[in-house]
Structures are given as structure tokens and as C-alpha cells.
Amino acid sequence: MSRATVLFWAIFAVTMAVYLTMVLWSLPHLQQLAGGLMVFDLRPLGYSLPEARGVVAALGAEGANFYLNVQLWLDLAFPGLLAIVLVLAFRKLAKGWLASVLSAGAILMAAFDYLENRGVAAMLRAGADALTDEMVRSASRWTVMKSASSTVVFVALLLLLLLAGWRRIKRR
């Protein structure tokens, strides 16, 4: 196994460990602290000012603290790690301009996630009563852009994996 392959699988494993930690622990815990409301990371279509106020109010001080000091720290690592995994996968599965465009999409997806996190942190620090329409609209916009770009990137990855599988079957 080449060094590049070992590196890919090591980064993939760390990325999945962070992802599973969020999906199986931190996000369900936040949802529980929010009284069952979906937290910002789990709202791919965005959220309105009343919805954001409801989530921040339901989270309270304990939930806001957990969001800021646990979830957002995990989500500081995850987008970058995921972008690295995707760029390496796209470089392996595609060539030329397609690999470059898809890699740029993965990096853009990570950037949108980081901007979403910044917006969520600002809302949590402000508190439910101090949220403004612009603050929520901005954070929600980044959430929607992250979700849309994630969809495009993962559909592209799936299609490339299917194509690679098809080519492998044809060679046999």
C-alpha cells in the first residue's frame, strides 16, 4: 500500500471519528438540551428569526455553552478534514479540470460550514432576545449554501465511485 493511500485512510478514519462523535453524541445531546428542537446544523433549508430565537432560548445557558465549547470545536475540525478527504478522492477518481472543479467545490463546502459556524456562534453569544433578522438571515444563508454544496459534492462523489466501479467490472 502506498504512503498516499495510507495517508488517505488515516485522514478518512479521523474524519469519520469526528463525524460519528457529532452524529451520535454532540448533536443528539444538543437536540435534547433544546427540548427536541432541531439545532442549526440539522436545518439544511435554513431557519427564520422566530425559529432561531426558539432554538437559542430552548438551549439556555447550558446548551449554548455546550454548542460553543463542544459542538463548534468538533465542527472546527470536521469541515477541513472532510475537504481534505474529498479533494484526495476527487484527485484519484477524476482527472484534469473535473478534479479541480470538484476539489474547489469541496473546499467551498468547508468554507460555507465555517461561515455557518461563525454565524451560529454569534447567535448563541447574543442570546435569543438580542438576535436580529440580519444576524439570523446571514447564518441561515451559510447553512443553506453549505447544504446545497454538500449535496452537489456528494452526488458527484457517488457518481465517480459508480463510474470507477463500472470500469473495474468492465476490465474483468
Side-chain angles (χ1 to χ4, degrees):
M1 197 178 296
S2 73
R3 220 180 325 193
T5 302
V6 171
L7 179 63
F8 171 83
W9 287 110
I11 296 169
F12 179 84
V14 171
T15 303
M16 290 300 99
V18 173
Y19 176 74
L20 290 172
T21 300
M22 290 190 303
V23 168
L24 298 175
W25 175 64
S26 64
L27 288 169
H29 183 64
L30 277 172
Q31 193 169 353
Q32 179 186 11
L33 291 172
L37 293 176
M38 299 291 269
V39 294
F40 301 110
D41 298 79
L42 302 176
R43 294 175 177 257
L45 300 178
Y47 31 89
S48 65
L49 179 60
E51 290 170 324
R53 279 194 175 133
V55 170
V56 173
L59 283 167
E62 179 186 356
N65 184 55
F66 186 85
Y67 216 133
L68 288 165
N69 296 305
V70 177
Q71 176 58 32
L72 289 180
W73 278 99
L74 290 167
D75 212 11
L76 181 64
F78 181 69
L81 288 168
L82 181 59
I84 292 167
V85 167
L86 290 168
V87 166
L88 292 172
F90 289 141
R91 296 284 175 197
K92 178 74 174 172
L93 295 167
K95 302 294 178 232
W97 66 269
L98 182 59
S100 296
V101 167
L102 294 174
S103 295
I107 293 166
L108 199 56
M109 177 187 71
F112 293 151
D113 199 344
Y114 287 126
L115 290 165
E116 173 196 40
N117 292 345
R118 187 181 75 177
V120 168
M123 291 190 301
L124 293 168
R125 287 186 183 106
D129 294 335
L131 292 181
T132 66
D133 193 46
E134 179 52 37
M135 185 184 290
V136 173
R137 197 173 24 229
S138 175
S140 180
R141 183 179 328 115
W142 296 125
T143 299
V144 171
M145 292 174 78
K146 174 194 78 172
S147 300
S149 60
S150 296
T151 301
V152 171
V153 165
F154 282 109
V155 167
L157 178 63
L158 178 62
L159 291 173
L160 286 172
L161 288 169
L162 289 171
L163 182 60
W166 174 253
R167 287 180 179 155
R168 190 173 187 167
I169 290 170
K170 278 180 58 175
R171 273 185 268 148
R172 289 184 180 187

